[in-house]
Structures are given as C-alpha cells and as structure tokens.
Amino acid sequence: MLDFLPKQLFLFDPLSLFFIFVIFIVSLPSAIYSLGYFTPKANPCFAGRQAPAAEKNEYSSAKITLFWFLLVLFVLSMCVVVTVGNVLVFLVAWEIMSLVSYFLVVFDTTHEKSIQAGTIYIIMTHIGTAFLVAAFLILHKYAHSFDFAAIKNVCLIMPGPTKDIVFLLLLVGFGTKAGIVPLHVWLPYAHPQAPSQISSIMSGVMIKTAIYGIIRFVIFLLGVNSSWWGVLVLILAVITCLVGVIYALMERDIKRLLAYSSVENMGIILLGVGLAMLLVNMKMPYLAAFALIAGLYHLVNHAIFKGLLFLCAGSVYKATGTRDIEKLGGLIKKMPQTAFYFLIGSMAISALPPLNGFVSEWLTLQVFFLGALNSAGGARLFLGICASMLALTSGLAAACFVKAFGVVFLGLPRSNYAQSAKEVPLSMNFGMFFLSILVIVFGIAAGLVIKLLAKVAAVAMNVDISTMRFSLYNPTLTAQVGLPAKELGKSIYLSTPMIALVLIVMGLAGFVVYRLFAKGKPVSYQTWDCGYYKLDSRNEYTGTAFSKPFRIAFSFFLQPYRKTQKVRESFYQVKSFAYETHTTLVFKKYIYVPLIALVLKSAKFMRRMQPGSIHLYLAYIFSTLLLLIIFMHKF
Amino acid sequence: MQAVILFTVLVSTYLMVIAKRTPALIRSFRYQSFCLFLVTLIIALREHQLDLYVVAGLLFILKIVFIPQLLYRTIKKIKASEDLGLFINPQLSLIWALGFTYLSWVFSTHLIGQTDAVRVILLAVAFFVVLAGIFLMIFRMTALAQIIGLLVMENGIFLLAAMVSGGMPFFVEIAVFFDVFVSVLIMGFFVYRINKFFTHIDVNKLSRLKG
C-alpha cells in the first residue's frame, strides 16, 4: 500500500464545516458581484474628463477568464485548508491559497502600487509560512506522522517547553496571515489593491483561515498548556483591536480604512479565542466554550459585514474611479442602493442592535464579565481591562464608520469624481443585497446561530455541551443553566427579535409623535447649509477634520506631524501656502525600517565574501575540507 | 611493486605542485596517469577481468595520449605565455604540499586505524592527490592550470577507488571517463574563447565580470 498517503485525508467535523460555510457565504455573493465588476462601462459618464485609471485598461476576455480560474482555485484552496486532516497537505493548500491570492492582489498589473503591495504581501506571508513549517516539523519529530490524529495523540505526552515553542511558532505563523499587530503591515497594502470582490474574500474569509489554524492546531491538537498562552493572545488581541481601529480612523483611502478595520475585527475575534484558551486553563470549560462561541460568532459576522463593506467600496470605486474619501461625498443621492447597503454594513460593524455585529460583540463582552466574576485577583483585573478595551474599540469603530459613511455618502460631492457617479449594475447590487440580508438574519436569529456554534465550539474544545441550553423563542437566552456550581454565575439574557421590535415600535412612536405635534413646515436648504446660502463642497467638514480629535487624543501613538510650505513673492506677500498633516507609522518606523536596514547591511557584508574570484570560491571549498579534517582529528 | 608506483605518484604530484610552466605540469600529469594505468593493469592481470583491461586501455588512450595532446595544442594555439602564474612560489608550495601529505595521513589513520598500514598509506596518497588537485586549482592563475587541477583530482579519486576497492563498477568508470573527456574538451574550448576575448587566460582577472 502507499503508506505515505494519509489514512484519513479529509475530516469534516463541525469546525471544518463551519469554516466551509463561512467561505461560501462570502465567496458566492462576491462571485456574482464580479459579473458586474468586469462589464465594460457603456455610459458616457467619464466623457469630458480624463477617465480614471481603473477604466483605462478595460479587462480583456482572456484576463477575465484568468480571473475566474484564479477565483475558483482560491476558494477551493481555502476549502482544502479548512478540511484537510494532514499537516503536509494543509501546508500545500495553505501555500496555494497564499500564492493564488498574491496573483489576485496583483491582478491589476498596470498599477505600480499593485506590484508593490503584492511584494509586501508575499514576503510577509512567506515569513509566516516559514514559522508554520518549523512548528509542523517539530510536531512531526514527535509524532512520526503528519496525520492530525497521530499528532493529537502525541501532544498529550509532549514535554511542556516544546509545546510552548510550537505554540509561539504557530502564533507567529498564523498571526502573520491574521494580521496580528505588529505583523499586520501587509493588510493595508494588499487589500486595497486587489479587485474589490477579492478584497472582500481576502478580508472576509482568507484571514479567517488563520483563526481556523489557531483553533485547530493550538486548541484542538496541541491543547492549551499553560495560562500564559491565553494571556499572550489576549494582550496581542487588545493591541490589535486598538491599533487597527485607530489607524482605520485616520485613513482617507476607503479600502485601506476597511483593511485596518479588518485588523481591528481580527483582534476582537482573537479576544474570544484567547479568552477561551485562558478559561480552559482556569478549569472553566463551559465558559471557555462560550468564549469560543463568541469568537466564532464574530468571525462569521465579520466575514459577512466586511465582505459587504468591501463590495460597497468596490461599487463606489467603480462608479467614481477614486478611493479617496476626501474626493467623494453626496453619493447617497447618486447611488441610493449602495449607500443603503453601506449603511447597513456600517451599523453592523459599529455594533448597533439588532444587527449581527452587536450580538457577537455583546457576547464577547458578556463572556469577559462572566470570566471576571468567576475569577479573582489579577485575573479579574486583567479580564476587566480587556473588556474595557473592547468597549473602547467598539466606540472608536463607530466613530470610524460615522466618518466613512458621512464623508462618502452625505454632504455635497467634493469633486468631479463624485459628481458624475451612477448606480452600479444589478449583479453588483445583488451581491451586496444578499450580504445585507445576512447581516440582518444573523442579528435576528442570534439564538439559533449560537446553538449551532455551540456544537462547533464543543468539538474544538472537547466539551460536552448537552447541559448548555439556548432558546430562541424564549426571550431569555441562558448559557448558564446546568453549569457546575462554580461556574454558575449570573445568567445572561439576549433576544434580538425583542430588541428589533422595541426599536421599531419606538421609532414608529417617535415618528407619530413628531407628525402629531410638529409645528411649522419644513424648509429645504442645501445639505449642511446651516441656514447660509452659497455653501459649496469646499466648506464641508472633511474626513481628516473629523478624525482630528482622535488624532490629538492618540497623539502619543500616532505622532502626527505637519509640513507647511510658503511660497513668497516678496517678504511681505505670501503667494501660496501649503499645509500637510501626516501621522507616523510607528510599527513601520520602529520595527520594519530598522529590520530591513539590518538585512540589507548584513547582505552587503556577505557580498564581500563573494568577490567574483573563482580561486577564492575554490579556496572556500578547500579550507572547509581542511577544517573538517582537522576537526575530525581533534574529536 | 605497488610501493614503487605509489612513490612515483607521490613524486609526480610534488613535481606538479612545484611546476612553474604549463608544459611541465602536463608532463607530470602524464607521469601520474601512467602510474594509474600501471595500477589498473596490475589489478587486471591479477584478477583477469576483461572490463579492467578495457578501463586500463581507455585510461591509457585518454589520459596519457589524448588529453595531454589536446592541452599542448591549446597552449600552442592560443600563443599565450607558458607561465602558470603562481600565487605561491614553488618552495612555499612544496611546504604546503608536505603539510597536505601529513594531513591526509592523519585523515586516513583516523578513518582506517593504525593496524592496516598498507591501506592507510594507499588512502593517504590518494587523498593527497585530491588535495593537490584542489591546491593547483586555487593557487595557479591560468585557466589551463584549473583544468589540470580538476584532472588531478579525478586521478586521485580513481586511485582511491582502484586501490581501496579494486575499481569502481565498470559502467561508472566508463561514465567518469566520458565525463572527464567531454569536460576537458569543453573547458579547452572555453580557454580558447576566454583568450580570444580577453587576450589572456588569467582567471584572477575575471572577477570584473561580477555584476
């Protein structure tokens, strides 16, 4: 028999099935969206001015065929990654996924920025893969097999320090893909440059495969060894949340903004996962399972609403030809449908009830509170701090999307780009429509989703969940019934249909009250006119201005600086005045730039060893040989 | 008999190391190859194997007649100086070579042990020839010296195989012969081309080709 073939190549346990579900739920609308994205533009809305770069190179039919091929390969490779039961095949599929996504990032090869972004992406992803290979080789050394089952068995008897090393290697390896700070640098480059439906899949699904990796390898196979693993993941997650959202708030490229927001949301997902790791080590398996449920819930939610938002951003880009939010504005009148979908996505990502983002962030917070209640001392403080940081993140995320939606869709058009926008074709709208429906469904049907996710978490954590009860129709959602006395804390209650009902009733009531008692009749002015006349788009509040308070509040981290330039005709007369404000990219400046400089410097040093003389090269071989003989003599 | 041959090999190798001009080097290479031919012939006579006779014949034709002839012709054709271009003068080279002899003896005693003196010396000489080949390649400037250095290394390996194990398998031997033959042809051609382009065959000056 061929004994190098694994005994069980694929495993379709609930964890894998859940991730396949997530993959298809985002890939499908994105594929439909692509139909519209590649249709040539027939309307003459770009007549009279220079067409934006995206429209200049109409996609040839061969290129579109290539795109579909890559897309299918991409989705398939992700499916293999989350279902395969063999480390070697996992690695191959992982690499195919990385390479195909690289080709999709550089799909618009005419942009020089795409190539640059692709290079950053492929370097980072391969650094990550290198760490994964190291971890897998250590596992193989112990298990003498690449099968998950054998590795799971051997992990029970593996010495603790080895486990720690494997965990750290896996964390760095998967963390690079997941965009954990400070390994997040590739996301804001790669996501904006890819075609939008690809950004949607990459941000919505591909980076989630890293979470799958962490759950599968660290929690499921390796088994959490000591509590500092969970603490480390939680600290990284908190940093990731805050850094992601602060950068997102500062960003003026809409797709980069979404990419940074992905970093933030990965942090929130990791909060759930890390808390599960911590709690399972504090001998609270039910709460740990609950934490994992929260993390997985946020994972599927983020896949849905970030997919939706990227598709919306793609529509805006397609319609206007720019991604700079300072050049957009007033699009709600030109593209009402896209605006509506973007609003839904923004509300969900800002965790407004009753949409899905609210449910998962609320659950995460609840688990933190329950964990804090059931622990004491330092752990209690730590979990409390984590919870407060999560709350801060949610608030900043809301501010970020107020900015994104307000500047892009409200107000007056700030440039010709926005002036001449038109609604996008039906297939693109359908993709967004589908995802917005899902946003609402995953919010309203929270009880049902949690029940399903509980099965997934149970498999991943190896916890018996038959004692946990969830109900959808009963307005209380109880995760605590039947828990051991130690974990029996306060029950938590959630019913999103109820919240939705209350909100609708209150909204209707407010409207009725307003219609009944409102005096005077409305007068229509220009948008944001404030009673003045002749205001134009130059008077509008810009995105940069909106984020200024945050720039000041977080100036210790963002380190903003400004450049001014005066052009004088004479000493007394300033002809023009230029003012720029920037923020310092801390991680780039203090980690990556010195690191790259170090690599180049050592490469320059190594180059001295390679002077081009054949004699010297031969001498290297010769002296090595002699040294080996002498060495052999010595020992 | 074997002792005499081994001694001749050793002496011819020392001669190569102290040679200053290319023809002298080729001549010593011829002597060395002739010793190898004798060794193979002796083994063939002792064991009465046809393939060993064939190997010996090939050795004679290639390494004693053909390759030296080719090298002589190349020298004549390129009309370059016969000087080898020494990085290390003959006296110092000889000291180095003696050092290598000692090292290879140390190596072979370490590998085989002190008990089997004959085999130790066999291995030491063979290994020394390999080291001397590399030495020639490194410390002589012209490209021709490097070709000969490579051939000397090959001789050393052949000697090792022939004396320690009574020769490699026939097909391996044949393959190696063809390898050597073809590589000498190609490298001879290269030397010719290098000379044509740069009007010298000084490998030391080729470092400017590096990007």
Side-chain angles (χ1 to χ4, degrees):
Chain A
M1 237 352 246
L2 298 163
D3 56 346
F4 62 86
L5 276 179
K7 288 180 199 77
Q8 193 193 4
L9 188 53
F10 290 104
L11 42 94
F12 289 101
D13 61 356
L15 188 62
S16 298
L17 293 179
F18 168 71
F19 276 92
I20 287 192
F21 171 73
V22 175
I23 289 169
F24 279 103
I25 213 172
V26 178
S27 305
L28 215 64
S30 299
I32 296 170
Y33 181 92
S34 316
L35 289 173
Y37 195 78
F38 286 126
T39 46
K41 212 163 196 78
N43 62 50
C45 80
F46 291 117
R49 64 181 177 82
Q50 204 197 351
E55 304 300 327
K56 254 188 281 182
N57 59 313
E58 281 297 343
Y59 298 100
S60 66
S61 67
K63 203 156 184 201
I64 293 174
T65 315
L66 177 70
F67 173 82
W68 285 106
F69 171 72
L70 288 174
L71 182 65
V72 170
L73 199 62
F74 187 35
V75 173
L76 273 181
S77 62
M78 284 191 295
C79 287
V80 175
V81 163
V82 298
T83 51
V84 83
N86 181 289
V87 171
L88 210 57
V89 187
F90 175 87
L91 214 52
V92 171
W94 182 264
E95 200 57 14
I96 291 174
M97 181 181 85
S98 303
L99 288 177
V100 172
S101 53
Y102 164 73
F103 286 121
L104 287 167
V105 167
V106 297
F107 190 70
D108 290 330
T109 37
T110 44
H111 295 251
E112 197 165 314
K113 274 189 171 175
S114 295
I115 310 291
Q116 191 197 355
T119 310
I120 293 173
Y121 169 52
I122 203 157
I123 289 173
M124 287 307 290
T125 190
H126 276 95
I127 290 172
T129 311
F131 279 92
L132 289 185
V133 170
F136 291 159
L137 286 180
I138 294 175
L139 288 178
H140 179 256
K141 187 175 172 294
Y142 281 88
H144 302 293
S145 162
F146 284 116
D147 276 336
F148 281 6
I151 289 174
K152 192 172 167 60
N153 283 335
V154 86
C155 280
L156 297 174
I157 53 167
M158 197 187 268
T162 317
K163 268 189 175 180
D164 291 346
I165 292 170
V166 172
F167 163 69
L168 287 176
L169 289 172
L170 287 173
L171 188 65
V172 175
F174 288 123
T176 317
K177 192 62 112 188
I180 295 178
V181 172
L183 300 167
H184 67 287
V185 282
W186 63 271
L187 275 123
Y189 288 97
H191 284 324
Q193 289 305 327
S196 289
Q197 61 274 36
I198 296 307
S199 318
S200 142
I201 298 178
M202 277 177 74
S203 180
V205 189
M206 187 192 74
I207 56 177
K208 307 298 191 302
T209 56
I211 300 291
Y212 167 80
I214 290 176
I215 295 175
R216 173 68 79 191
F217 285 99
V218 177
I219 297 180
F220 182 73
L221 289 183
L222 208 55
V224 181
N225 193 28
S226 45
S227 51
W228 66 265
W229 292 17
V231 173
L232 178 65
V233 173
L234 279 178
I235 291 173
L236 284 176
V238 164
I239 295 172
T240 305
C241 282
L242 286 174
V243 170
V245 76
I246 290 169
Y247 276 138
L249 201 46
M250 294 303 121
E251 199 49 64
R252 53 181 282 179
D253 177 331
I254 185 160
K255 282 176 83 177
R256 277 175 76 102
L257 184 149
L258 293 176
Y260 274 125
S261 159
S262 289
V263 173
E264 171 230 328
N265 280 284
M266 290 309 280
I268 297 176
I269 295 166
L270 276 173
L271 276 177
V273 175
L275 186 61
M277 288 164 70
L278 180 62
L279 288 174
V280 83
N281 219 265
M282 288 162 72
K283 302 286 174 290
M284 286 188 265
Y286 291 97
L287 265 185
F290 202 56
L292 195 62
I293 291 172
L296 290 175
Y297 204 150
H298 197 71
L299 190 148
V300 65
N301 285 344
H302 178 242
I304 294 168
F305 56 61
K306 191 47 66 66
L308 171 62
L309 287 170
F310 262 118
L311 293 187
C312 292
S315 296
V316 169
Y317 180 51
K318 169 106 176 157
T320 61
T322 182
R323 296 193 307 251
D324 189 347
I325 62 173
E326 310 290 21
K327 290 191 181 134
L328 298 169
L331 287 181
I332 196 165
K333 289 178 193 128
K334 315 272 181 192
M335 315 168 66
Q337 296 185 41
T338 307
F340 178 69
Y341 300 136
F342 195 93
L343 182 62
I344 297 247
S346 303
M347 280 163 68
I349 206 168
S350 313
L352 294 189
L355 298 176
N356 62 356
F358 163 74
V359 181
S360 51
E361 287 196 21
W362 186 83
L363 280 179
T364 314
L365 272 175
Q366 287 300 330
V367 181
F368 270 107
F369 292 146
L370 287 173
L373 282 177
N374 286 322
S375 55
R380 186 172 243 183
L381 187 65
F382 177 68
L383 292 180
I385 290 173
C386 286
S388 60
M389 289 299 149
L390 176 60
L392 175 62
T393 307
S394 304
L396 289 175
C400 173
F401 280 89
V402 165
K403 166 187 158 181
F405 184 79
V407 175
V408 173
F409 289 99
L410 304 180
L412 291 170
R414 290 180 174 80
S415 68
N416 276 338
Y417 295 105
Q419 194 75 54
S420 56
K422 280 237 169 97
E423 189 59 87
V424 289
L426 182 68
S427 60
M428 291 167 82
N429 266 326
F430 178 77
M432 295 186 277
F433 171 74
F434 181 73
L435 285 172
S436 358
I437 292 293
L438 282 180
V439 165
I440 297 168
V441 165
F442 272 75
I444 300 290
L448 202 64
V449 177
I450 292 173
K451 206 183 267 181
L452 289 171
L453 286 177
K455 287 181 190 158
V456 179
V459 170
M461 308 285 298
N462 203 9
V463 174
D464 181 21
I465 50 143
S466 53
T467 50
M468 289 171 88
R469 279 217 302 275
F470 309 96
S471 67
L472 176 62
Y473 301 109
N474 182 352
T476 64
L477 180 142
T478 311
Q480 303 304 112
V481 176
L483 292 196
K486 189 187 167 208
E487 289 183 44
L488 189 58
K490 318 286 175 281
S491 297
I492 54 171
Y493 305 98
L494 172 68
S495 171
T496 37
M498 200 72 152
I499 297 174
L501 202 65
V502 169
L503 282 175
I504 289 169
V505 168
M506 280 174 64
L508 280 177
F511 185 68
V512 168
V513 168
Y514 172 74
R515 286 313 290 266
L516 284 180
F517 297 102
K519 285 177 226 151
K521 58 177 205 258
V523 186
S524 58
Y525 289 101
Q526 293 272 323
T527 314
W528 289 353
D529 200 6
C530 304
Y532 288 96
Y533 299 99
K534 304 278 184 201
L535 279 184
D536 67 355
S537 60
R538 298 278 290 164
N539 298 90
E540 275 178 316
Y541 209 37
T542 62
T544 312
F546 183 87
S547 56
K548 174 118 188 176
F550 301 100
R551 200 151 47 241
I552 294 168
F554 294 104
S555 59
F556 65 93
F557 171 69
L558 289 166
Q559 301 180 3
Y561 59 93
R562 57 186 72 164
K563 277 188 212 159
T564 53
Q565 194 189 13
K566 287 179 191 170
V567 177
R568 292 164 191 271
E569 209 142 67
S570 66
F571 180 76
Y572 302 102
Q573 188 192 359
V574 175
K575 195 178 166 196
S576 70
F577 184 81
Y579 172 88
E580 288 175 47
T581 174
H582 297 276
T583 53
T584 315
L585 292 170
V586 181
F587 292 101
K588 188 177 162 193
K589 187 177 174 190
Y590 293 107
I591 297 180
Y592 285 94
V593 169
L595 203 67
I596 291 167
L598 188 72
V599 169
L600 288 181
K601 208 173 152 191
S602 54
K604 214 171 260 174
F605 175 73
M606 291 302 283
R607 202 176 159 78
R608 261 187 274 165
M609 281 181 64
Q610 190 216 5
S613 153
I614 295 168
H615 292 105
L616 200 62
Y617 297 160
L618 287 167
Y620 288 149
I621 301 172
F622 189 52
S623 48
T624 312
L625 193 66
L626 287 183
L627 278 176
L628 283 178
I629 294 171
I630 294 166
F631 185 77
M632 193 169 145
H633 178 57
K634 278 272 183 201
F635 300 100
Chain B
M1 186 64 191
Q2 276 203 338
V4 175
I5 293 171
L6 273 183
F7 188 71
T8 323
V9 169
L10 211 56
V11 169
S12 64
T13 316
Y14 285 135
L15 280 177
M16 272 190 245
V17 169
I18 62 171
K20 268 181 163 174
R21 297 178 313 117
T22 320
L25 195 61
I26 299 171
R27 206 178 310 126
S28 312
F29 172 72
R30 230 177 201 171
Y31 295 152
Q32 197 187 46
S33 302
F34 186 69
C35 296
L36 250 62
F37 164 68
L38 283 181
V39 167
T40 324
L41 202 61
I42 289 168
I43 298 174
L45 285 171
R46 201 170 56 204
E47 303 197 354
H48 292 294
Q49 277 183 348
L50 181 65
D51 46 352
L52 281 176
Y53 286 113
V54 176
V55 169
L58 269 176
L59 190 76
F60 189 82
I61 293 167
L62 273 180
K63 284 196 175 160
I64 301 174
V65 180
F66 195 83
I67 292 176
Q69 210 58 46
L70 195 79
L71 291 174
Y72 277 131
R73 243 184 55 205
T74 315
I75 301 174
K76 228 177 250 171
K77 210 160 64 180
I78 61 179
K79 296 194 189 84
S81 148
E82 290 182 343
D83 209 357
L84 272 173
L86 276 61
F87 281 116
I88 294 180
N89 66 25
Q91 292 78 19
L92 207 57
S93 301
L94 191 61
I95 295 173
W96 274 75
L98 290 170
F100 293 153
T101 322
Y102 173 71
L103 260 184
S104 44
W105 180 77
V106 165
F107 174 67
S108 56
T109 47
H110 200 89
L111 210 63
I112 297 175
Q114 301 248 316
T115 49
D116 195 349
V118 178
R119 288 174 62 117
V120 166
I121 290 171
L122 278 177
L123 185 65
V125 170
F127 196 71
F128 166 64
V129 173
V130 174
L131 286 184
I134 306 184
F135 180 80
L136 283 177
M137 287 175 85
I138 296 172
F139 293 108
R140 301 292 178 261
M141 285 177 199
T142 60
L144 271 172
Q146 316 220 309
I147 299 175
I148 296 168
L150 195 70
L151 290 170
V152 171
M153 277 175 72
E154 208 275 331
N155 271 357
I157 293 166
F158 184 88
L159 193 65
L160 199 72
M163 293 192 127
V164 175
S165 68
M168 283 184 267
F170 180 63
F171 284 103
V172 177
E173 207 76 86
I174 295 292
V176 171
F177 272 132
F178 274 104
D179 253 12
V180 170
F181 177 58
V182 171
S183 62
V184 168
L185 275 184
I186 291 172
M187 285 191 287
F189 182 68
F190 273 161
V191 168
Y192 180 70
R193 300 286 297 185
I194 291 171
N195 190 54
K196 212 172 159 191
F197 272 114
F198 302 102
T199 65
H200 63 78
I201 51 170
D202 192 343
V203 180
N204 193 35
K205 291 178 189 159
L206 294 184
S207 61
R208 264 177 287 153
L209 293 176
K210 192 188 71 159

